[in-house]
Amino acid sequence: MRERTKSMSTAEIGLIGLGTMGAALALNIADNGFDIAVWNRTTEKTTAFVDKAGDLASRITGTDTLEDFVKSIKAPRAIILMVPAGKIVDDQIAALRQLLDADDMIIDAGNANFHDTNRRARDVGDLPFLGIGVSGGEEGARFGPSIMGGGKREYWDRVAHILEAISAKHKGQPCATWMGEEGAGHFVKAVHNGIEYADMQMIAETYGIMRDGMGMHHDAIGTTFADWDKGVLRSYLIEISGKVAATKDPESGKPMLDVIVDAAGQKGTGRWTVIEAQHLAAAIPAIDAAVVARNLSAQRQTRAAGQEMFGAAPHHLPHDSLSLDTLEKALIAGKILCYAQGFEMITKASDHYGWTLPLPAIAEVWREGCIIRSDMLDDMASALRDETGRSLMLAPKFAKMLKETHGALRHVVAQAAMHGLAVPALSSGLAYFDTMRTARGTANMIQGQRDFFGAHGFERVDGGTDQHGPWGD
Ligand code: NDP
């Protein structure tokens, strides 16, 4: 083996998988003063990585074989896996197990489905295992991600000093927190991604209203997002949306958004969140709408055929029918409702899996480093801390904000509907709001129907369960 930088058994931690995220995370670890050993399936990548590490190379041990990799880490070892989720993780764990001692720890830092993490935590037997969700993309991984940990607390405590050091900081506080046992960290990361889908979709819908409904040019749209980024909506996603809208294609000189195909990609984490929400009977309609919107965005041919068959909707809103101020307020309301749904899902999972997920700490860990970081999360953390178990919608600060903005959301959704502009996430947010403030809903009709055709029984408002109606023939 060609030893590139350091002697054996000196690394405080090891990392496998020098792809986009792994390479950035390894540099971050070295940058924070920890010696790290790295191994990658394709050896050339390891060589190139160490060669390009500059001053940090002195803290990095590049290895050619898994055996040398394991030997170069101080026992008891901690090894981060940063490889694609699924079978590759299982295979990598199996290969490592043959080389590790009983108290060595494996940390899966990829985007694992939390059910897999639950299973792995059990399958590895006594071998310490952590599943950590890492958010923030390549830049976050390099300079400070948000880290959501899952597994036994004692395992987290063994590496917390490293994970906290490399994480993003909010006013000096690390955005790296232990969430609970087994797959709790990966579960919280999945909900984070679900919220991210909905946040992005709602922003895209306001972009569509500005572009198609209000006839605004991309420069003006970029300026509007930049203005919103100075107010209540201040967040990474609003900031980058403004920059994306304002950027020109160097080749054609057109706005970049005009040259990008309107079909959104996805790696499946939003879909996992929606599927899991159904298992938990958690209501996350804005996230669901966002995942569906991505699926529909891929159906370009059918959408084009639909436009040919039915004609394009009128789209243009009547002059002065909608102001940018109203649109901003609608997005504020939509965002609060989307996060209320995400936190409700976390509450349900916490009960279901017995995890005691720390809701305020989750809002805190998302304040910096991750894609959904925003100023509003600071207030959400306070609201969730004030009263556990209460919907974010009902927390005084957010209830006041919703009272001030839900009318705008209704106006925007109504205008959009009247003029054929699709706003699935905003409208599902509004339907959620209307449902959740209706004490007497319409499910009595459903119960009547169920009893009529299936004798399923119902509860009477004046007392008595398992009642049946006099339906007759
Ligand atoms: P990349 O595709 O950039 O890198 C994948 C890495 O995994 C490479 O080092 C690759 O090695 C290695 N690898 C692939 N297949 C195997 C295999 N069969 N056996 C061993 N090693 C293998 O992926 P990312 O860095 O983007 O993602 C890594 C993980 O991080 C994923 O789980 C992803 O979902 C998650 N993640 C990604 C984010 C992002 O923004 N990209 C954000 C947050 C999480 P080789 O060089 O030999 O191909």
Side-chain angles (χ1 to χ4, degrees), residues 25-291:
L25 210 59
L27 291 176
N28 185 357
I29 291 170
D31 216 0
N32 275 281
F34 302 102
D35 288 349
I36 180 168
V38 294
W39 179 80
N40 193 68
R41 178 182 59 169
T42 309
T43 307
E44 294 72 41
K45 222 185 239 180
T46 312
T47 313
F49 172 74
V50 178
D51 287 349
K52 276 199 230 145
D55 292 347
L56 295 177
S58 63
R59 293 207 169 277
I60 300 170
T61 305
T63 56
D64 293 352
T65 67
L66 211 50
E67 288 77 6
D68 286 336
F69 167 73
V70 169
K71 279 186 206 154
S72 57
I73 308 165
K74 272 190 258 181
R77 301 173 182 86
I79 295 172
I80 296 176
L81 301 184
M82 219 12 157
V83 296
K87 185 173 177 302
I88 293 172
V89 174
D90 287 317
D91 291 347
Q92 200 60 68
I93 292 172
L96 273 174
R97 282 199 70 151
Q98 303 178 16
L99 305 170
L100 296 184
D101 297 330
D103 53 355
D104 290 343
M105 175 155 67
I106 296 177
I107 305 166
D108 178 14
N111 265 341
N113 183 318
F114 79 96
H115 287 296
D116 285 339
T117 308
N118 285 347
R119 170 179 59 75
R120 286 177 188 131
R122 288 190 291 268
D123 286 357
V124 291
D126 291 338
L127 195 71
F129 183 77
L130 282 179
I132 64 171
V134 176
S135 177
E138 184 180 8
E139 200 189 324
R142 175 63 185 89
F143 297 107
S146 166
I147 299 177
M148 294 143 262
K152 284 208 169 78
R153 178 71 206 224
E154 65 200 82
Y155 302 158
W156 171 263
D157 289 342
R158 265 174 61 178
V159 285
H161 63 293
I162 300 179
L163 299 178
E164 287 174 1
I166 65 166
S167 75
K169 309 287 179 301
H170 180 84
K171 296 178 185 159
Q173 196 183 332
C175 293
T177 301
W178 178 74
M179 298 295 167
E181 300 281 326
E182 299 188 325
H186 278 137
F187 172 81
V188 172
K189 171 76 199 299
V191 178
H192 163 284
N193 284 23
I195 291 174
E196 178 186 312
Y197 273 52
D199 212 335
M200 291 168 73
Q201 175 65 25
M202 285 182 181
I203 293 171
E205 290 172 15
T206 61
Y207 155 69
I209 289 174
M210 286 190 267
R211 183 190 67 182
D212 301 329
M214 302 166 90
M216 286 169 62
H217 292 294
H218 283 89
D219 285 342
I221 294 172
T223 306
T224 303
F225 282 130
D227 286 345
W228 291 356
D229 196 38
K230 294 180 192 126
V232 178
L233 287 170
R234 192 174 145 77
S235 61
Y236 174 70
L237 282 172
I238 289 285
E239 179 196 334
I240 64 164
S241 300
K243 289 178 179 167
V244 168
T247 302
K248 299 272 186 304
D249 174 29
E251 277 179 39
S252 63
K254 291 180 183 168
M256 272 313 295
L257 282 172
D258 275 351
V259 299
I260 299 176
V261 168
D262 61 338
Q266 53 180 319
K267 288 189 177 165
T269 48
R271 188 182 309 133
W272 291 347
T273 310
V274 168
I275 292 169
E276 184 57 24
Q278 294 301 333
H279 286 307
L280 293 167
I284 53 165
I287 296 170
D288 186 45
V291 175

